[in-house]
Amino acid sequence: SERLLVSGKKDREDLSWKSAIQKIDRAKMFNPLSADVRAELGSLYQTLYHVSAKSNYLKLAEREYKDALRLDSYNSARYLQLGEFFFTERKSPGKAASYYRKASTLDPYNPIPHVRLSNIYSLLGEFDKARKEESEGNRLNSLWNRIMKP
């Protein structure tokens, strides 16, 4: 399963779409409980939507992302991924915000969900909430920068 996933990712990088789908789909068949495989397949379908503009790829991407979340519901990255998907692809800032809020609950030291929420609240005209989230994102980012300094 892992070899198929790695090989499928390589095919994706090489723009060998059909081969990438086949390999990652086979990895899913061998390991149906792998959230990583589901997320990778979702990402591939999302890319194919942009390349082909076929809406069925967007539906497939959403299904795979949601399956990844169902299989790995304590991983904040899954919520971030769905937040990005709903914000950029589905143009649904409210739904995206709910995923970002859950991501920030699961990973309270990650600045990314706060930055994304700040952007959404600004877009929605909720400027007090936007400033609060921006401030928290900046605080956490500063904390990370201090920790990661060599």
Side-chain angles (χ1 to χ4, degrees):
S1 170
E2 189 63 31
R3 273 197 229 155
L4 285 167
L5 180 59
V6 170
S7 182
K9 286 181 179 183
K10 171 94 174 71
D11 286 348
R12 179 183 178 182
E13 290 170 10
D14 295 340
L15 307 180
S16 300
W17 308 118
K18 187 176 180 180
S19 178
I21 289 174
Q22 289 171 342
K23 287 176 182 172
I24 297 172
D25 215 26
R26 282 190 63 214
K28 180 175 126 178
M29 184 180 74
F30 286 118
N31 191 357
L33 299 179
S34 172
D36 291 337
V37 170
R38 300 293 180 115
E40 184 62 33
L41 197 51
S43 179
L44 176 58
Y45 285 139
Q46 188 175 356
T47 300
L48 286 171
Y49 165 73
H50 288 283
V51 171
S52 70
K54 292 182 181 175
S55 63
N56 65 313
Y57 284 127
L58 208 55
K59 291 174 188 167
L60 292 169
E62 183 176 341
R63 184 190 72 203
E64 295 299 337
Y65 286 145
K66 285 182 175 179
D67 282 348
L69 176 64
R70 182 180 50 79
L71 293 166
D72 193 13
S73 63
Y74 294 100
N75 185 338
S76 67
R78 305 288 177 225
Y79 290 91
L80 285 172
Q81 201 169 37
L82 271 164
E84 296 292 327
F85 178 82
F86 277 98
F87 187 73
T88 60
E89 305 299 350
R90 295 294 191 199
K91 310 297 186 233
S92 180
K95 192 142 190 162
S98 69
Y99 286 113
Y100 291 138
R101 281 191 292 274
K102 182 65 175 179
S104 72
T105 300
L106 289 172
D107 189 1
Y109 296 104
N110 186 346
I112 294 171
H114 297 284
V115 172
R116 300 295 191 267
L117 282 166
S118 174
N119 293 337
I120 287 173
Y121 290 140
S122 291
L123 182 71
L124 298 175
E126 298 179 37
F127 300 113
D128 289 339
K129 286 182 177 181
R131 278 190 288 281
K132 180 180 173 244
E133 292 296 340
E134 181 182 26
S135 176
E136 182 64 4
N138 287 338
R139 184 186 75 78
L140 292 170
N141 196 40
S142 173
L143 179 66
W144 274 107
N145 286 338
R146 283 193 305 254
I147 291 170
M148 300 308 279
K149 260 189 182 173

